[in-house]
Amino acid sequence: MSAAAYDWLTLEPDEEIVWSGEPELLGYAWVFVVGVVLIPLFGVGFVIIASAYLTVKNTAYVITTDSVFKKTGVLSRQITDIGHENIQDTGYRQSFVGRHYDFGTVQVSTAGGSGVEMSLDYVADPLAVQSQLDSVATKKAPADASADRNGRNPVRIDGATLDELVEEMQATRKALESIERRLKDE
C-alpha cells in the first residue's frame, strides 16, 4: 500500500501503511432505497442518493504503524487521527445485514476520552480490521504500561502509578488520624 494514493496523508519517515479502506457501498443500501422511494417527490431522492454516494467515495480509512486516520468530506476535508499510544480500547459491531455481507463498524476509544472517539463505518471484514489495529496498537503501547516486577501492570495517572497513589493516601490517612488524636487530647 502506497502513501502516494493518499495525497491527504503525511507519514513520518519510518511510518508505514498497514491497512487502508473505505466504507462498503452496501452499508448505505437503506439510504439508496429511501432515495429511490423519494425520487417522485421533486427529485429529492436524486439528491439523497448522490449525497450518500459522494460520502462513501470521499471517506477513507488508513491504519499506519503509528496512527489510525479517518478522512471525510465532500466539499471540504476533515482528517482525524489517533496515535496508537492513545488507544484505550477497540471494538466492532455489525448489523444483521452487515453480518450476512461481512461489513461493520470498527470503534476506537482513547484514554481519557468519553466513549467512542473514532468509528470506521461500514468496513469490510470488521473483525480483521479490528485485529489488525489491535496488533499494531499493542506494539506501540507506552513503555510505562509494561508489567512491573510483581507482574502487575501499573496504572499511570498523571505520572504516578496507582500503587504510589494508594501509598500517598495511606500516609495522608495516618497523618489525619494523628491530628484527630491530638485534637481529642486537648
Side-chain angles (χ1 to χ4, degrees):
M1 289 169 251
S2 168
Y6 302 101
D7 64 340
W8 52 270
L9 187 61
T10 305
L11 300 178
E12 296 295 324
D14 61 341
E15 189 174 12
E16 297 176 15
I17 295 176
V18 175
W19 176 89
S20 64
E22 63 181 27
E24 290 290 312
L25 203 52
L26 191 56
Y28 289 87
W30 65 273
V31 176
F32 293 109
V33 170
V34 169
V36 168
V37 169
L38 293 177
I39 285 176
L41 186 64
F42 308 110
V44 170
F46 288 120
V47 173
I48 291 171
I49 292 170
S51 174
Y53 179 77
L54 289 172
T55 297
V56 169
K57 291 302 174 189
N58 287 290
T59 300
Y61 311 120
V62 175
I63 298 173
T64 69
T65 51
D66 291 341
S67 299
V68 57
F69 294 87
K70 178 179 183 178
K71 178 196 72 91
T72 57
V74 176
L75 299 175
S76 62
R77 182 182 287 174
Q78 178 177 348
I79 299 168
T80 308
D81 73 293
I82 297 175
H84 293 318
E85 68 276 359
N86 295 322
I87 294 176
Q88 180 76 27
D89 190 27
T90 64
Y92 79 97
R93 60 183 166 82
Q94 288 180 295
S95 66
F96 174 76
V97 175
R99 285 185 60 196
H100 185 71
Y101 292 103
D102 198 23
F103 67 85
T105 299
V106 175
Q107 301 169 321
V108 181
S109 301
T110 61
S114 58
V116 175
E117 300 294 319
M118 179 187 291
S119 62
L120 312 180
D121 300 315
Y122 304 121
V123 295
D125 197 1
L127 177 58
V129 174
Q130 179 200 13
S131 296
Q132 185 75 42
L133 179 58
D134 284 345
S135 172
V136 179
T138 302
K139 292 176 185 173
K140 287 290 184 175
D144 61 274
S146 59
D148 65 8
R149 64 177 172 253
N150 297 321
R152 297 177 302 198
N153 286 334
V155 176
R156 308 263 342 145
I157 303 173
D158 291 333
T161 65
L162 188 56
D163 290 339
E164 291 169 342
L165 291 173
V166 168
E167 288 174 19
E168 178 95 20
M169 290 175 63
Q170 289 172 340
T172 303
R173 180 178 181 179
K174 286 180 182 177
L176 289 172
E177 287 173 349
S178 173
I179 292 170
E180 184 179 19
R181 278 193 299 272
R182 276 190 264 152
L183 289 173
K184 282 183 181 177
D185 291 341
E186 289 179 0

